């Protein structure tokens, strides 16, 4: 924040400068033999150069080069003022051009160089639209200058030296205008110092243009209102250098370049009409000598406008295929490009593979550190993936925390090795989620290679998706290679069908998302117990499908609010066996089926269907028994209301050593206290999300 002293300095400079300008017009030219008015004028002009020097010392800008050049330009300008007014008032020398004009014209290149250096330091990337707009408005100003200033000057028949000087001023003003518009349209800070700098440039160009017009019609006289405009511009430059924001004006900032807003579009559109209006104006005056120049200007404006429209089309295309957060390709682009690559691979036989990666436990990052931290993680993950993948591969943000990669010319083995490189590239060092906190982020990855018997891109993505889910089931932080065989596709269809059956059963018992929640709890408990990856995967899959056998039960049994009959109990006790038979037909699901068959067995041997006891019950089934009981106690049923949290905890503890494995009860309650298990609402949200996606 600027201090009061810093603000008083530049405001005081402007105030004393204003008083000096008033004194300039109030004082006589001479007091005795002293040219007092000349002294006041030159003092104000020189003060701007001194203010720039003092501003550099006081504000200590990190990048001094543009200010040094602009300060030198003001020194040359002050020298020109001294030469002009001494010659005019003291020596009565009124020739035009004179030595002063050499200095005046000499300060323009320094102004342009200083502005160009400032522009290059302020911008963080290329801004072609801003350059095109600046050139367009400069062409418009050039047309106006030709018709009303330059053209008439060339037809006066004056001496070559007078004509050269009169043409040099508007031409140099056009160059300064181009640099000024480039500065205005570019990125960077636009605070008080920037406004004062803009005011200085506007004063220079306005006063110079009016000066040349007055020279053309012979009305110029030293000491007229133009002196106030020039002096005001000098004061604006000095105040700009003394302003406390001067030290930051050359720094790149997170302030975007001015975009194609409605006011800017209106100005550009009006500028494009200047050429035709000038032709009509010249036609009304019966003059045709400027028509070729105006025609060339119109052609330039047309070319610039066409280029600008083409740039807008390219920008819109880029925005449509680019993810706004990570700057990677969008899912829409990925799917379109993959379809093209699959068609090409089918024609040419060139290997093709897909890699899909997912950030492990991303929800926990969002929940613990907040969504802005989650966004920072996604951006950094995208940058690291991009660094490993290189510019030649198509890398896209496929979903919330999912990324996808098209690998052309790579078979299954190469794509899996690339997936491992991508994972290690992300996990190699922690990612900052705040100024003081960092987390290590891991990825799970699934790959799939194109096979000629699969004719769609969706089959390739589905195969990679299945491999990704398997990587998750195996404990995350790994890459798994998938295939695209017909058998695997059919297996996937069967798994999807059973998942839908599980969701339907959840709805029939009025507990949507129940099986999803139980599956996640079972996996979490198994991970806490440090089970091997196969047991973790089995517990998770069995939790998802544990009650699919209930689909064969009649609705009145599931919604019965009173005591069950013996026949109804018999039917209910058969559902674990029914579910096991349904799941057992899937390849590699024999263990899952057996866990489903045993999940209603009890630690004391009083369970069903086989009355197993203690360690003869599979560990995964004992885990599911605890998770299933918690889900049942926390949900409303037709015959009772859901228990409170405290009541459910007491029920779970009372079953230790009888219904449940006592060690597993302790582990579950420990995880419950941590908040990592026990939330049925999260499962319901997942079910709704899955329904929406399907």
């Amino acid at each position: 924040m600027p201090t009061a002293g810093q603000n008083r300095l530049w405001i005081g400079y402007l105030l004393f400068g204003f008083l000096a300008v008033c004194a300039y017009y109030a004082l006589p030219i001479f007091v005795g033999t002293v040219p007092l008015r000349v002294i006041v004028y030159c003092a104000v002009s020189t003060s701007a150069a001194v203010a720039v020097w003092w501003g550099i010392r006081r504000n200590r800008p990190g990048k001094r080069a543009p200010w040094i050049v602009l300060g030198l330009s003001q020194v040359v300008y002050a020298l020109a003022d001294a030469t002009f007014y001494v010659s005019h008032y003291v020596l009565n020398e009124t020739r035009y051009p004179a030595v002063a004009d050499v200095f005046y014209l000499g300060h323009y290149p320094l102004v342009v160089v200083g502005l160009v250096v400032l522009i290059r330091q302020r911008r963080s990337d290329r801004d072609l639209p801003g350059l095109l707009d600046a050139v367009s408005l400069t062409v418009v100003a050039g047309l106006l200058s030709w018709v009303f200033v330059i053209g008439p000057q060339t037809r006066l028949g004056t001496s070559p030296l007078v004509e050269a000087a009169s043409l040099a001023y508007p031409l140099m003003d056009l160059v300064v205008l181009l640099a000024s518009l480039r500065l205005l349209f570019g990125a960077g800070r636009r605070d008080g110092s920037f406004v004062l700098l803009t005011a200085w440039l506007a004063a220079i160009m306005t006063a110079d243009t009016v000066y040349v017009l007055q020279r053309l019609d012979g009305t110029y006289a030293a000491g007229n209102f133009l002196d106030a405009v020039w002096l005001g511009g000098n004061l604006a430059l000095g105040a700009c250098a003394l302003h406390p924001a001067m030290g930051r004006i050359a720094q790149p900032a997170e302030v975007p370049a001015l975009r194609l807003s409605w006011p800017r579009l209106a100005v550009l559109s009006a500028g494009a009409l200047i050429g035709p209006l000038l032709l009509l104006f010249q036609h009304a005056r019966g003059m045709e000598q400027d028509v070729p120049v105006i025609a060339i200007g119109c052609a330039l404006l047309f070319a610039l406008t066409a280029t600008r429209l083409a740039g807008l089309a390219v920008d819109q295309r880029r925005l449509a295929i680019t993810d706004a957060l990570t700057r990677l390709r969008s899912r829409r682009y990925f799917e379109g490009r993959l379809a093209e690559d699959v068609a090409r691979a089918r024609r040419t036989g060139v290997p093709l593979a897909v890699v899909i990666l997912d950030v492990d436990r991303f929800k926990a990052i969002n929940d613990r550190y907040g969504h802005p931290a989650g966004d920072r993680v996604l951006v950094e993950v995208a940058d690291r993936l991009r660094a490993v993948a290189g510019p030649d591969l198509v890398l896209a943000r496929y979903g919330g925390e999912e990324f996808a990669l098209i690998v052309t010319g790579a078979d299954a083995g190469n794509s899996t090795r690339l997936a491992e490189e991508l994972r290690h590239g992300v996990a190699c060092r922690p990612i900052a989620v705040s100024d003081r906190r960092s987390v290590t982020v891991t990825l799970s990855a699934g790959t799939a290679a194109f096979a000629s018997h699969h004719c769609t891109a969706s089959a390739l993505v589905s195969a990679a998706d299945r491999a990704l889910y398997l990587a998750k089931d195996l404990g995350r932080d790994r890459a798994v290679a998938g295939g695209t065989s017909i058998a695997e596709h059919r297996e996937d269809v069967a798994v999807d069908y059973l998942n839908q059956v599980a969701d339907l059963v959840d709805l029939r018992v009025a507990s949507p998302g129940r099986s999803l929640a139980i599956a996640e709890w079972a996996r979490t408990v198994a991970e806490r117990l440090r089970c091997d990856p196969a047991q973790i995967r089995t517990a998770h899959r069995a939790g998802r499908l544990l009650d699919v056998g209930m689909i064969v039960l009649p609705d009145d049994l599931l919604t019965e609010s009173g005591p069950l009959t013996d026949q109804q109990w018999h039917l209910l006790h058969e559902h674990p066996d029914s579910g096991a038979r349904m799941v057992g037909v899937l390849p590699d699901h024999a263990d899952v089926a057996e866990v489903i068959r045993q999940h209603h067995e009890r630690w004391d041997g009083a369970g069903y269907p086989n009355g197993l006891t203690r360690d003869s019950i599979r560990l995964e089934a004992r885990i599911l028994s605890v998770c299933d009981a918690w889900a049942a106690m926390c949900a409303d049923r037709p015959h009772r209301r859901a228990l409170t949290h405290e009541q459910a905890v007491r029920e779970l503890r009372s079953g230790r050593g009888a219904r449940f494995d006592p060690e597993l009860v302790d582990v579950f309650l420990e995880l419950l206290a941590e908040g990592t298990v026990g939330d049925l609402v999260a499962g319901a949200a997942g079910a709704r999300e899955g329904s929406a996606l399907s």
Side-chain angles (χ1 to χ4, degrees):
M1 292 289 292
T3 65
Q6 290 174 313
N7 281 325
R8 284 198 296 268
L9 181 62
W10 70 272
I11 294 174
Y13 174 77
L14 283 179
L15 179 60
F16 281 108
F18 173 75
L19 295 176
V21 173
C22 293
Y24 169 76
Y25 282 100
L27 290 171
I29 298 176
F30 284 93
V31 176
T33 59
V34 178
L36 192 57
R37 180 181 286 190
V38 174
I39 293 174
V40 171
Y41 191 100
C42 294
V44 174
S45 180
T46 304
S47 72
V50 175
V52 173
W53 170 78
W54 183 253
I56 294 175
R57 289 196 59 187
R58 182 184 181 89
N59 295 317
R60 300 184 180 277
K63 299 175 181 178
R64 300 186 177 189
W67 295 106
I68 292 174
V69 177
L70 292 177
L72 288 176
S73 77
Q74 187 59 30
V75 170
V76 175
Y77 195 82
L79 182 60
D81 282 340
T83 305
F84 176 82
Y85 285 97
V86 168
S87 298
H88 192 86
Y89 287 115
V90 179
L91 303 178
N92 293 318
E93 180 62 59
T94 59
R95 286 184 306 171
Y96 174 76
V99 176
D101 293 292
V102 176
F103 291 119
Y104 280 129
L105 293 173
H107 103 286
Y108 282 103
L110 292 172
V111 171
V112 173
V113 171
L115 291 178
V116 169
V117 174
L118 187 61
I119 292 166
R120 292 178 65 86
Q121 291 178 348
R122 281 166 60 87
R123 75 185 189 196
S124 57
D125 55 1
R126 298 176 61 186
D127 180 23
L128 182 59
L131 177 60
L132 291 174
D133 291 348
V135 173
S136 296
L137 294 181
T138 303
V139 170
V140 172
L143 285 176
L144 293 170
S145 181
W146 178 269
V147 172
F148 297 107
V149 179
I150 300 176
Q153 177 65 42
T154 60
R155 294 188 288 271
L156 286 179
T158 55
S159 67
L161 191 59
V162 172
E163 185 169 326
S166 299
L167 293 178
Y169 280 105
L171 290 175
M172 292 305 299
D173 278 330
L174 287 175
V175 178
V176 173
L177 175 64
L178 177 59
S180 302
L181 291 173
R182 189 71 182 89
L183 177 67
L184 181 63
F185 290 149
R189 299 177 182 272
R190 297 182 181 88
D191 45 23
S193 182
F194 182 83
V195 172
L196 291 168
L197 184 66
T198 306
W200 168 59
L201 295 169
I204 289 177
M205 291 180 285
T206 301
D208 285 355
T209 301
V210 177
Y211 169 74
V212 174
L213 289 173
Q214 290 183 348
R215 281 288 186 183
L216 282 173
D217 58 21
T219 60
Y220 174 73
N224 67 8
F225 71 94
L226 288 181
D227 287 355
V229 180
W230 275 313
L231 289 175
N234 293 336
L235 292 172
L237 176 62
C240 168
L242 296 175
H243 195 283
M246 173 264 203
R248 303 186 301 270
I249 195 172
Q251 297 175 354
E254 295 299 325
V255 179
L258 294 176
R259 297 304 177 192
L260 194 59
S261 59
W262 285 110
R264 182 168 172 178
L265 181 61
V267 171
L268 292 172
S269 300
L273 296 174
I274 291 297
L277 291 176
L278 288 176
L279 287 175
L280 291 174
F281 176 77
Q282 294 292 68
H283 176 73
R285 297 172 59 190
M287 301 176 63
E288 298 182 357
Q289 60 267 38
D290 293 329
V291 170
V293 175
I294 297 175
I296 293 173
C298 289
L300 285 174
L301 285 175
F302 177 80
L304 290 168
T305 302
T307 304
R308 186 71 164 92
L309 291 175
L312 284 175
V314 171
D315 284 344
Q316 292 301 315
R317 165 67 176 167
R318 177 180 53 81
L319 290 174
I321 65 175
T322 303
D323 175 64
L325 177 65
T326 62
R327 314 308 299 168
L328 298 178
R329 295 303 189 192
S330 64
R331 178 170 180 165
R332 178 180 178 183
Y333 176 85
F334 175 87
E335 291 174 342
R337 177 63 180 272
L338 181 60
E340 296 174 1
D341 288 346
V342 165
R344 185 179 302 109
R346 189 179 303 111
R347 291 193 310 269
T348 63
V350 174
L352 176 68
V354 166
V355 179
I356 298 182
L357 307 105
D358 185 86
V359 179
D360 294 329
R361 296 183 175 87
F362 182 72
K363 183 178 182 298
I365 296 175
N366 271 339
D367 292 344
R368 183 170 184 180
Y369 302 106
H371 289 280
D375 288 346
R376 292 180 66 173
V377 168
L378 291 177
V379 171
E380 181 61 24
V381 168
D383 290 343
R384 296 184 184 185
L385 291 176
R386 188 188 292 111
V388 175
D392 298 329
L393 300 181
V394 177
L395 178 63
R397 185 182 179 192
Y398 195 69
E401 64 269 19
E402 280 191 341
F403 301 87
L405 189 70
I406 300 175
V407 189
T408 54
D411 56 16
N414 290 332
S415 62
T416 303
R417 283 191 291 273
L418 176 60
E420 291 291 350
E421 292 176 6
L422 293 167
R423 287 195 322 99
H424 290 302
V426 170
C428 62
R429 61 185 186 278
I431 295 176
V433 294
S434 66
D435 294 337
R436 298 183 178 180
R437 300 297 299 272
S438 297
V439 295
T440 298
V441 175
T442 62
L443 300 181
S444 298
T447 69
F450 173 75
S452 59
H453 54 266
H454 260 276
C455 57
T456 63
S458 61
L460 190 59
V461 172
S462 295
D465 260 334
R466 291 192 298 272
L468 172 62
Y469 290 136
L470 179 57
K472 293 284 189 181
D473 286 342
L474 292 176
R476 303 181 180 91
D477 191 19
R478 67 195 65 222
V480 173
T484 57
S485 67
I486 295 293
E488 185 178 344
H489 182 63
R490 289 173 178 169
E491 176 191 337
D492 184 61
V493 171
V495 170
D496 287 343
Y497 172 74
L498 288 181
N499 287 339
Q500 293 177 27
V501 170
D503 293 337
L504 181 58
V505 170
D506 291 343
L507 291 174
R508 290 178 67 187
V509 298
S511 185
R514 176 176 177 273
S515 61
L516 285 169
I518 291 174
E520 286 302 317
W521 303 345
R523 175 160 56 189
T524 304
V525 172
E527 289 174 346
R528 176 59 63 90
L529 293 171
R530 302 185 183 278
C531 296
D532 63 64
Q535 287 179 305
I536 295 173
R537 177 176 181 272
T538 299
H540 180 262
R541 290 296 299 142
R544 181 73 173 97
L545 303 175
L546 84 166
D547 283 333
V548 292
M550 285 187 177
I551 196 66
V552 302
L553 300 179
D555 287 340
D556 60 351
L557 175 59
L558 298 178
T559 58
E560 180 64 54
S561 59
L564 299 181
T565 65
D566 290 343
Q567 183 179 4
Q568 287 175 323
W569 275 115
H570 177 73
L571 290 174
L572 187 62
H573 287 180
E574 286 186 345
H575 89 267
D577 195 58
S578 299
R581 288 198 301 271
M582 294 171 65
V583 175
V585 300
L586 296 177
D588 301 324
H589 274 61
D591 288 341
V592 176
E594 186 59 28
V595 170
I596 291 173
R597 179 178 284 109
Q598 296 181 10
H599 80 277
H600 276 298
E601 302 286 358
R602 291 172 50 118
W603 183 255
D604 59 8
Y608 61 89
N610 297 319
L612 301 178
T613 182
R614 294 181 176 267
D615 292 338
S616 61
I617 307 170
R618 291 185 61 123
L619 174 61
E620 302 96 316
R622 302 200 304 269
I623 293 173
L624 284 184
S625 177
V626 176
C627 297
D628 183 33
W630 180 265
M633 290 186 289
C634 294
D636 289 330
R637 291 298 175 86
H639 59 282
R640 62 158 176 80
R641 299 286 295 174
L643 302 183
T644 66
H645 181 87
E646 293 75 13
Q647 290 172 335
V649 169
R650 285 198 299 269
E651 285 290 324
L652 212 56
R653 284 176 174 159
S654 68
R656 290 180 78 257
R659 181 177 177 183
F660 310 117
D661 182 336
E663 178 186 359
L664 296 184
V665 171
D666 294 340
V667 171
F668 188 89
L669 292 177
E670 178 183 309
L671 293 170
L672 185 66
E674 296 174 4
T676 54
V677 300
D679 185 7
L680 270 176
V681 177
R688 287 194 297 272
E689 181 181 352
S691 175
L693 292 174
S694 62

